[in-house]
Amino acid sequence: MWQPNRFIVAAALLAACLRAEIKVGDVFPEMGGAGVVPLAGGAMPKTAGAVVLVDFWASWCAPCKASFPAMAKLHADFSRRGLVIAAVSVDEKAAPAEAFARKLAAPFATLLDRDKKLVSAVAVPAMPTSYLIGTDGRVKAIYQGFHGDETDRVVRRDVEAALAQR
């Protein structure tokens, strides 16, 4: 006899397994292997053994536009100490992402997830969402959305702590 409650539970469990969201403590997927490519002739950042902030963004996202100047300041303040910022666009086409990054003069690596493999593997919940990754390749913190000074303060605190653990 068919029981709808069991079917609903089974479907929910299957959906959760298929879209396993990356959590704090998980190993972050390799960007290069996921089809992520540099925008506008840039280069893939060297991330092995580094503290990395991976930011998922899109050219149509207003909070993403607000977050880029804050990330530029993070880059200026922490890159000499070992922070690598990799801003990964989920735009369908490279041209709008390139124009966005050029207009905002991003001093950090801007990349395109051309096949949407990385954004799918991570199960990014919203734009923008950033992942702070420790030198061991594990996620130290996740920042969903950009809330101005509040987000900036928390990210800076966490970056300081991650860099101190190196």
Side-chain angles (χ1 to χ4, degrees):
M1 180 170 178
W2 183 71
Q3 295 182 346
N5 287 344
R6 286 186 185 172
F7 176 75
I8 292 169
V9 169
L13 287 173
L14 178 61
C17 290
L18 292 175
R19 189 169 161 87
E21 193 171 305
I22 294 289
K23 299 176 290 311
V24 170
D26 290 347
V27 173
F28 196 83
E30 173 62 36
M31 287 187 289
V36 174
V37 296
L39 284 170
M44 283 297 286
K46 297 188 187 316
T47 58
V51 172
V52 182
L53 183 67
V54 177
D55 179 65
F56 288 92
W57 61 279
S59 62
W60 43 262
C61 165
C64 299
K65 183 177 181 181
S67 73
F68 262 53
M71 285 193 302
K73 182 92 171 87
L74 279 171
H75 175 79
D77 294 346
F78 293 107
S79 64
R80 284 187 213 102
R81 292 182 47 202
L83 177 66
V84 174
I85 297 176
V88 180
S89 171
V90 299
D91 281 274
E92 292 296 319
K93 296 183 179 174
E98 287 174 351
F100 180 96
R102 196 171 30 258
K103 181 178 180 182
L104 294 173
F108 42 83
T110 53
L111 311 166
L112 177 67
D113 187 1
R114 69 172 173 226
D115 300 324
K116 309 303 173 264
K117 289 181 183 175
L118 185 61
V119 73
S120 293
V122 174
V124 176
M127 292 296 130
T129 296
S130 299
Y131 297 81
L132 182 63
I133 304 161
T135 57
D136 61 357
R138 294 190 177 279
V139 176
K140 298 270 186 204
I142 302 170
Y143 314 98
Q144 186 174 330
F146 180 73
H147 310 284
D149 290 341
E150 176 187 336
T151 301
D152 189 53
R153 268 191 306 279
V154 172
V155 172
R156 285 176 172 280
R157 179 199 66 209
D158 293 347
V159 166
E160 278 284 356
L163 290 171
Q165 292 176 353
R166 291 177 15 146

